[in-house]
């Protein structure tokens, strides 16, 4: 429902941000046509990566050429025909893909309403380590593990934790009342999409009610904590930078 009095749950702070679906404004992104694209997080916000939401019409198409940027995609709804480098596959909800730097990708013939989250980051090579390979996967087939032994907080790691990868993308699912075991403070940056359910996210010294569709940016060292609330599990997809020297 539109808000007559200018209220919003959104907050854009210097080192963290919350954007709700009601705040979205489309922008035009090269290679994305017959679709709306919302750049939710990027360098203009202070981040070192970009997070986009793409929503396709039936005739839509997203295609990006090879570049120094790597792309991770996750399909929330719908599906279509995916090409990553030379690999081709049908992709549906819960499907994901990783495009290494130096390879093109496209998603064509989408079902109307198909929604895709993209995380994009310029690749930082590790001397002596070959580039990562392309990946096409299905989150439903990725085994989860209880986070630090807690069965109420299940973590699925979607990409291999290998030195070649300088980013990770995971899905965290919490039972109602499940929570991060402590307030995390770490060098890694996060981009996050609430996939389902609801809860409260602590970001620095603020606590925010969050629900499906919300997007959060956490700068390095942003104090962070989450508790799931309500009657159904809460889950989120999130990005972090990993595996590179501290200095
Ligand atoms: O991987 C992580 O740093 C994760 N535990 N952070 C988070 O969920 N905010
Ligand atoms: Mn974290």
């Amino acid at each position: 429902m539109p808000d007559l009095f200018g209220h919003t749950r959104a907050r854009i702070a210097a080192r963290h941000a919350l954007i709700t679906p009601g705040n979205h404004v489309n922008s035009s992104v090269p290679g994305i046509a017959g679709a709306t694209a919302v750049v939710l997080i990027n360098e203009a916000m202070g981040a070192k990566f970009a997070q986009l939401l793409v929503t396709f019409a039936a005739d839509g198409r997203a295609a990006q050429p090879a570049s120094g940027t790597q792309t991770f995609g996750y399909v929330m709804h719908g599906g279509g025909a995916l090409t990553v480098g030379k690999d081709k596959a049908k992709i549906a909800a819960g499907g994901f893909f990783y495009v290494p730097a130096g390879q093109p990708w496209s998603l064509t013939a989408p079902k109307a309403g198909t929604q895709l989250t993209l995380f994009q980051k310029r690749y930082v090579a590790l001397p002596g380590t070959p580039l990562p390979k392309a990946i096409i996967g299905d989150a439903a087939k990725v085994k989860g593990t209880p986070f630090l032994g807690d069965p109420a907080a299940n973590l699925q790691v979607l990409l291999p934790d290998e030195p070649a990868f300088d980013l990770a993308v995971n899905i965290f699912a919490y039972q109602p009342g499940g929570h991060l075991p402590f307030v995390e403070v770490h060098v890694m940056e996060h981009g996050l999409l609430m996939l389902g359910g609801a809860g409260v996210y602590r970001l620095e010294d603020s606590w925010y009610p969050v629900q499906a569709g919300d997007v959060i940016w956490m700068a390095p060292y942003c104090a962070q904590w989450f508790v799931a609330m309500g009657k159904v599990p809460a889950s989120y997809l999130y990005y972090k930078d990993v595996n590179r020297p501290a200095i």
Side-chain angles (χ1 to χ4, degrees):
M1 196 172 67
D3 184 90
L4 287 179
F5 299 106
H7 293 132
T8 179
R9 288 186 297 110
R11 166 103 185 271
I12 311 302
R15 301 188 43 76
H16 72 263
L18 166 65
I19 300 182
T20 78
N23 306 118
H24 292 179
V25 175
N26 304 330
S27 55
S28 54
V29 174
I32 299 182
T36 60
V38 185
V39 181
L40 292 157
I41 299 173
N42 84 349
E43 288 171 347
M45 188 178 263
K48 296 191 193 66
F49 69 99
Q51 179 171 341
L52 288 83
L53 172 68
V54 185
T55 306
F56 292 86
D59 57 350
R61 174 185 171 81
Q64 293 190 316
S67 74
T69 293
Q70 57 196 328
T71 296
F72 178 96
Y74 180 87
V75 177
M76 286 89 76
H77 308 289
L82 178 72
T83 303
V84 178
K86 294 191 178 67
D87 299 340
K88 289 186 193 308
K90 288 257 174 275
I91 192 160
F96 64 88
F97 58 94
Y98 169 77
V99 189
Q103 294 196 34
W105 67 274
S106 67
L107 197 149
T108 57
K111 284 193 195 122
T114 292
Q115 278 204 312
L116 177 67
T117 283
L118 299 174
F119 295 113
Q120 299 191 302
K121 176 186 182 293
R122 272 187 284 282
Y123 183 64
V124 177
L126 199 58
T129 306
L131 251 72
K133 298 222 164 18
I135 293 173
I136 300 177
D138 179 357
K141 297 194 178 128
V142 176
K143 203 173 153 329
T145 50
F147 184 59
L148 301 179
D150 180 358
N154 189 62
L155 185 67
Q156 290 172 285
V157 176
L158 303 185
L159 293 176
D161 183 12
E162 292 169 2
F165 287 85
D166 70 345
L167 62 79
V169 180
N170 304 332
I171 294 176
F172 235 133
Y174 299 79
Q175 294 307 310
H179 56 84
L180 278 175
F182 58 91
V183 179
E184 294 183 1
V185 176
H186 53 63
V187 66
M188 298 85 82
E189 191 178 17
H190 288 318
L192 180 156
L193 168 70
M194 288 296 297
L195 293 172
V200 172
Y201 230 107
R202 177 187 174 159
L203 303 168
E204 299 183 274
D205 292 332
S206 302
W207 280 255
Y208 299 93
V210 295
Q211 64 188 12
D214 290 351
V215 162
I216 292 171
W217 169 58
M218 298 173 231
Y221 298 108
C222 169
Q224 57 199 255
W225 178 84
F226 176 72
V227 61
M229 297 179 70
K231 305 257 191 256
V232 297
S235 61
Y236 55 76
L237 174 77
Y238 72 101
Y239 155 97
K240 64 179 174 182
D241 51 303
V242 294
N243 289 332
R244 289 300 174 265
I247 191 159

